[in-house]
């Protein structure tokens, strides 16, 4: 990196060379004459609030120079320090980074340091309700694309001095700010150190979304299951940090990453924390059932109607056979046609405007389903099975998990079409084996299953009453206090 020169003219000449052809680069001379280079303010006119800069800051510095008889550099520094926090820079590259980050930089002749101050002038989106993680009860605010706003929403909820933050700058060209947040007394230091090393190892030219960070830090890149939880809710982030999780906030992204995440957390929306515990537990059981239906529903129907007719009650079998009469395709082709049609409709409804999307998804499903049955392409039971499978997939709180189940349905259908229940069993065994092998920074993806006894696992998967949960947490913290530093993964942090 090139260090700053004591001459303002040399520094300005170098910056003009670097920003040649960029009409956004702006500089203004400070002092009695507009032609000298006694002091220069440089900035990007589209990033900085140019009106405030001219009316308040530059005007005040010029006024202080006229009214004070001391050294110009000292007068300007005193004037600048009265306006806000000042960052001292010593390299040309630091000036470039601060200018790109909505700062204006003051260069004073005779000083080998420059002075930067934040003065953003661009508009940011206002805080709005969540668009994906909707809830009936609880907070109604979501993250925006502005990192400072997102940090403010988190800091407003956690006022403990144990809240720690570490910043990263990722992207050779974008220089995107990324913030790591965690509670020091609840986070496993081994997981934290491993995550910091992975963040330091990220090499990107442009970081445009937190998904790129997720791909770099996860252990199993080719796994269909998401290993990092993505959320747009500040209350979800705060709850996760109180359980010992680490949160990653990215500037320009209205989502936060929560690590290390587990399989059961993908099935538990934040709304469970704001409902009565028995109702929340009932919903969690329903989601586990619908997860199984979403994964193996079509495959189970293919196995029964193709290879294991003896397992179907006789009245129901007669109904299936009568509905199947006249259908030219085998059951597997029926299921494949309906699954593809369902996914096409879902994708179309997501890409269209919101008002049109609902009409296309509902009307399209009714028309295509009825037309397929009337034309004899698919049977009515198959339409019911695919519809129930699609509805079951919508109960999964997180879209990434729902997509993973959708991708796994097709190979399961193919294996079942070949060998029936045996193929379905083999496919489920492979999936379960893969899920059990997943880890993130040493933490099991199926935690707490496999890392604790079944009683403690049930307490963590399901939601006990709040008073009982608080008492258990207090007792556990007292028991684990002597050995907390030696444990690889502090289990007292995840009670919900």
């Amino acid at each position: 990196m090139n260090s700053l020169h004591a001459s303002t003219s040399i520094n300005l000449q170098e910056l003009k060379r670097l920003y040649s052809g960029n009409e956004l680069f702006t500089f203004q001379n400070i002092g009695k004459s507009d032609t000298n280079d006694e002091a220069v303010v440089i900035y990007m006119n589209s990033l900085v609030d140019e009106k405030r800069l001219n009316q308040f800051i530059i005007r005040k510095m010029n006024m202080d120079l006229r009214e004070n008889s001391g050294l110009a550099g000292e007068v300007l520094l005193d004037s600048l320090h009265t306006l806000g926090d000042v960052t001292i820079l010593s390299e040309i590259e630091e000036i470039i980074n601060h200018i790109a980050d909505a700062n204006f930089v003051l260069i004073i002749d005779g000083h080998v340091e420059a002075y930067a101050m934040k003065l953003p002038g661009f508009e940011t989106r206002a805080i709005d309700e969540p668009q994906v993680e909707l809830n009936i009860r609880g907070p109604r605010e979501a993250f925006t694309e502005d990192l400072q706003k997102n940090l403010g929403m988190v800091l407003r909820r956690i006022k403990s001095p144990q809240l720690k933050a570490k910043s990263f700058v990722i992207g050779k060209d974008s220089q995107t700010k990324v913030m790591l947040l965690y509670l020091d007394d609840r986070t496993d230091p081994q997981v934290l150190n491993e995550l910091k090393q992975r963040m330091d190892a990220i090499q990107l030219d442009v970081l445009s979304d937190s998904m790129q960070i997720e791909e770099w830090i996860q252990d199993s890149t080719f796994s269909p299951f998401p290993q990092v939880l993505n959320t747009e809710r500040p209350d979800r982030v705060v709850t996760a940090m109180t359980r010992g999780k680490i949160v990653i906030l990215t500037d320009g992204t209205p989502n936060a990453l929560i690590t290390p995440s587990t399989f059961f957390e993908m099935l538990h929306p934040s709304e469970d924390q704001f409902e009565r515990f028995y109702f929340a537990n009932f919903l969690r059981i329903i989601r586990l059932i619908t997860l199984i239906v979403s994964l193996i529903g079509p495959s189970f129907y293919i196995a029964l109607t193709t290879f294991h007719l003896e397992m179907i009650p006789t009245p129901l079998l007669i109904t299936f056979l009568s509905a199947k009469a006249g259908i030219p395709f085998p059951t597997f082709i029926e299921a494949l046609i309906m699954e593809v049609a369902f996914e096409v409709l879902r994708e179309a409804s997501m890409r269209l405007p919101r008002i049109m999307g609902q009409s296309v998804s509902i009307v399209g499903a009714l028309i295509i389903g009825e037309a397929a049955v009337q034309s004899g392409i698919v049977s009515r039971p198959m339409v019911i099975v695919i519809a129930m499978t699609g509805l079951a997939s919508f109960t999964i709180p997180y879209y990434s998990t729902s997509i993973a189940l959708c991708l796994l349905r097709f190979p399961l259908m193919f294996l079942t079409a070949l060998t029936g229940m045996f193929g379905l069993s083999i496919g489920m065994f492979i999936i379960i084996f893969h899920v059990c092998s997943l880890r993130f920074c040493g933490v099991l993806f199926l935690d707490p299953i496999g890392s604790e006894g079944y009683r403690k696992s049930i307490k963590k998967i399901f939601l006990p009453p709040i008073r009982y949960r608080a008492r258990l947490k207090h007792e556990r913290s007292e028991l684990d206090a002597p050995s907390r530093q030696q444990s690889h993964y502090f289990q007292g942090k995840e009670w919900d």
Side-chain angles (χ1 to χ4, degrees), residues 413-448:
M413 289 166 51
F414 179 75
L415 289 175
T416 306
L418 291 178
T419 57
M421 282 293 183
F422 178 75
L424 179 59
S425 302
I426 293 296
M428 289 301 299
F429 174 79
I430 295 174
I431 293 174
I432 294 173
F433 182 82
H434 171 71
V435 171
C436 292
S437 65
L438 289 178
R439 293 174 179 267
F440 182 87
C441 295
V443 179
L444 289 173
F445 186 58
L446 284 182
D447 187 84

Side-chain angles (χ1 to χ4, degrees), residues 122-155:
F122 50 85
E123 296 294 331
T124 58
R125 183 167 61 94
I127 298 174
D128 201 356
E129 291 190 15
Q131 300 298 316
V132 179
E133 300 176 62
L134 303 176
N135 65 332
I136 299 175
R137 186 176 181 180
R140 298 292 181 87
E141 61 181 10
F143 286 125
T144 68
E145 287 79 8
D146 186 63
L147 180 60
Q148 297 302 319
K149 282 186 180 180
N150 297 340
L151 287 172
M153 284 187 276
V154 175
L155 296 176

Side-chain angles (χ1 to χ4, degrees), residues 288-357:
L288 287 174
I289 295 174
T290 55
L291 182 144
I292 298 174
V293 173
S294 174
L295 182 61
I296 69 171
S299 301
F300 190 74
Y301 178 76
I302 292 172
L304 288 181
T305 57
T306 305
F307 294 93
H308 309 285
L309 296 175
E310 68 279 0
M311 298 178 63
I312 307 176
T314 302
L316 185 60
L317 177 60
I318 295 174
T319 302
F320 283 172
L321 292 178
S322 61
K324 180 69 175 173
I327 304 299
F329 302 111
T331 307
F332 168 68
I333 300 300
E334 283 186 75
L336 189 62
I337 292 173
M338 292 305 299
E339 277 287 347
V340 172
F342 184 85
E343 295 302 326
V344 169
L345 283 173
R346 179 163 66 172
E347 186 69 15
S349 63
M350 291 179 60
R351 303 305 166 202
L352 287 173
R354 184 178 302 178
I355 298 177
M356 297 177 58

Side-chain angles (χ1 to χ4, degrees), residues 360-488:
V360 169
S361 61
I362 297 174
V363 177
L366 292 175
I367 293 176
I368 292 177
E370 185 63 24
V373 172
Q374 293 295 333
S375 59
I377 298 177
V378 296
S379 60
R380 293 186 183 276
M382 178 59 70
V383 175
I384 296 174
V385 170
I386 298 301
M388 291 300 299
T389 303
L391 289 176
S393 66
F394 291 150
T395 63
I396 308 300
Y398 293 99
Y399 183 69
S400 298
T401 307
S402 177
I403 290 298
L405 298 177
C406 172
L407 292 176
L408 293 173
R409 276 202 299 268
F410 290 97
L412 284 178
M413 289 166 51
F414 179 75
L415 289 175
T416 306
L418 291 178
T419 57
M421 282 293 183
F422 178 75
L424 179 59
S425 302
I426 293 296
M428 289 301 299
F429 174 79
I430 295 174
I431 293 174
I432 294 173
F433 182 82
H434 171 71
V435 171
C436 292
S437 65
L438 289 178
R439 293 174 179 267
F440 182 87
C441 295
V443 179
L444 289 173
F445 186 58
L446 284 182
D447 187 84
I449 295 178
S451 60
E452 297 186 88
Y454 70 94
R455 291 184 179 179
K456 296 179 181 178
S457 300
I458 292 176
K459 289 178 183 178
K460 290 187 176 183
I461 294 173
F462 296 99
L463 196 68
I466 186 65
R467 294 182 181 178
Y468 180 66
R469 182 167 69 248
R471 178 171 60 83
L472 287 177
K473 187 174 182 179
H474 178 69
E475 293 175 356
R476 180 60 181 266
S477 62
E478 291 182 348
L479 292 174
D480 290 352
S483 58
R484 186 177 302 171
Q485 297 298 328
Q486 285 76 24
S487 67
H488 174 65

